[in-house]
Amino acid sequence: ITESSEEELIRNARKLGKILEWPCGEIFTVKEKVGGSGPAQTKGSLPMHFDGIHKADKSPIKSPQVISEVPLFVVFECMSERDPTDIGGETILTDTRRILEDLSREQKEKLSKVRIQYFYPKNIFFGGKKVQFDVLGRHPITGELNLRMEEEGNHPDFQLQRDPIDCTHEEMTEALDFIIPLLYDRKYAYRHSWEKDDYVFTDNCHLLHGRTEFQSGDRHLRRIHILPPTEDCP
């Protein structure tokens, strides 16, 4: 597929569903930027996560609960030529269904008891609110079991806080220590090395994704989020 204009990219993405808008608009630029919105706009590695976890607002129902706007799909387009001398910058995509298929009933039962509260400092795009997710969740469309968690990163300017909810700190730590190595296991993880005009379409609810550190500042992706269908936007 050849490079598209922003208008073409948005128009085609809308065929998949309603686009999740950010302060920058419908397209987010994943490229190194001084004073950027978070680790995605640095050269550093990205910990395993799912998108939208920190794009949160109060529930429309009269409740103190905070609801994250988690997209169903993520569309990436690569805008830059690959630097053959650069190492890194791979996107890691892990299908958590495959991990769960290999776990015993007892292992899944232990994970089902762990719920984690996440807090990320507010920036111009997201953060500033505490959100909670069960480690063992379900896909909003298929109902299949999946893993919902965020790994702690190592960027000094972007620190994630995690706290256990209705479980002990030891149970939370044990669950994360068990899951995280599996997320990087090549049995479950696909590593994509980007070439110009690559398009990658991912299920944000089944997959967790991250990124390896890179050196070239020319790495440039465009990203669009597609929300799950609703009665107003099927």
Side-chain angles (χ1 to χ4, degrees):
I1 303 176
T2 57
E3 178 182 329
S4 62
S5 68
E6 287 194 2
E7 293 76 15
E8 288 174 319
L9 183 61
I10 291 171
R11 185 169 61 250
N12 288 324
R14 284 177 178 159
K15 296 176 183 178
L16 302 171
K18 183 179 180 181
I19 296 175
L20 174 61
E21 290 198 38
W22 294 81
C24 60
E26 294 173 306
I27 295 178
F28 180 81
T29 299
V30 185
K31 185 178 183 180
E32 183 190 16
K33 180 181 178 181
V34 177
S37 68
Q41 292 186 324
T42 71
K43 293 180 182 178
S45 61
L46 281 181
M48 298 299 278
H49 66 284
F50 58 97
D51 282 359
I53 180 174
H54 297 293
K55 191 176 191 311
D57 205 344
K58 288 289 182 70
S59 168
I61 306 171
K62 289 184 178 180
S63 165
Q65 184 180 8
V66 173
I67 305 297
S68 295
E69 292 187 277
V70 177
L72 177 59
F73 299 124
V74 184
V75 180
F76 293 102
E77 178 189 15
C78 183
M79 306 296 295
S80 55
E81 299 284 354
R82 184 181 180 189
D83 183 349
T85 66
D86 194 15
I87 298 175
E90 299 172 312
T91 295
I92 306 170
L93 301 160
T94 301
D95 188 342
T96 64
R97 290 172 300 179
R98 296 185 59 204
I99 294 176
L100 290 168
E101 287 171 358
D102 285 350
L103 300 188
S104 67
R105 184 170 60 182
E106 290 75 19
Q107 288 171 321
K108 285 184 278 193
E109 178 68 21
K110 288 184 70 174
L111 294 178
S112 71
K113 298 177 181 178
V114 178
R115 183 174 179 85
I116 301 175
Q117 178 174 274
Y118 300 91
F119 177 78
Y120 195 86
K122 185 173 179 57
N123 57 46
I124 61 173
F125 287 101
F126 56 83
K129 293 184 175 71
K130 296 177 180 179
V131 296
Q132 299 179 13
F133 284 88
D134 295 320
V135 167
L136 195 63
R138 288 195 178 274
H139 193 281
I141 305 300
T142 68
E144 295 173 278
L145 288 175
N146 55 21
L147 292 172
R148 302 282 82 189
M149 52 79 65
E150 181 173 9
E151 182 186 12
E152 188 175 13
N154 56 14
H155 199 291
D157 295 331
F158 306 103
Q159 294 296 312
L160 175 71
Q161 179 182 325
R162 296 181 302 203
D163 294 295
I165 300 295
D166 297 329
C167 63
T168 66
H169 191 276
E170 289 72 20
E171 288 171 326
M172 178 186 77
T173 301
E174 182 181 354
L176 293 172
D177 288 346
F178 173 69
I179 293 169
I180 289 172
L182 296 175
L183 299 178
Y184 292 93
D185 190 323
R186 289 184 181 269
K187 180 179 180 182
Y188 311 110
Y190 164 67
R191 295 178 176 239
H192 186 77
S193 297
W194 291 94
E195 302 282 354
K196 191 174 186 301
D197 297 331
D198 278 357
Y199 282 78
V200 172
F201 177 84
T202 71
D203 185 324
N204 187 53
C205 296
H206 276 321
L207 274 63
L208 295 175
H209 66 278
R211 181 185 72 200
T212 61
E213 183 180 7
F214 63 99
Q215 299 301 318
S216 172
D218 295 330
R219 184 184 187 273
H220 179 192
L221 306 180
R222 297 195 298 200
R223 185 195 72 194
I224 289 185
H225 287 140
I226 310 297
L227 288 165
T230 63
E231 291 183 2
D232 297 330
C233 185

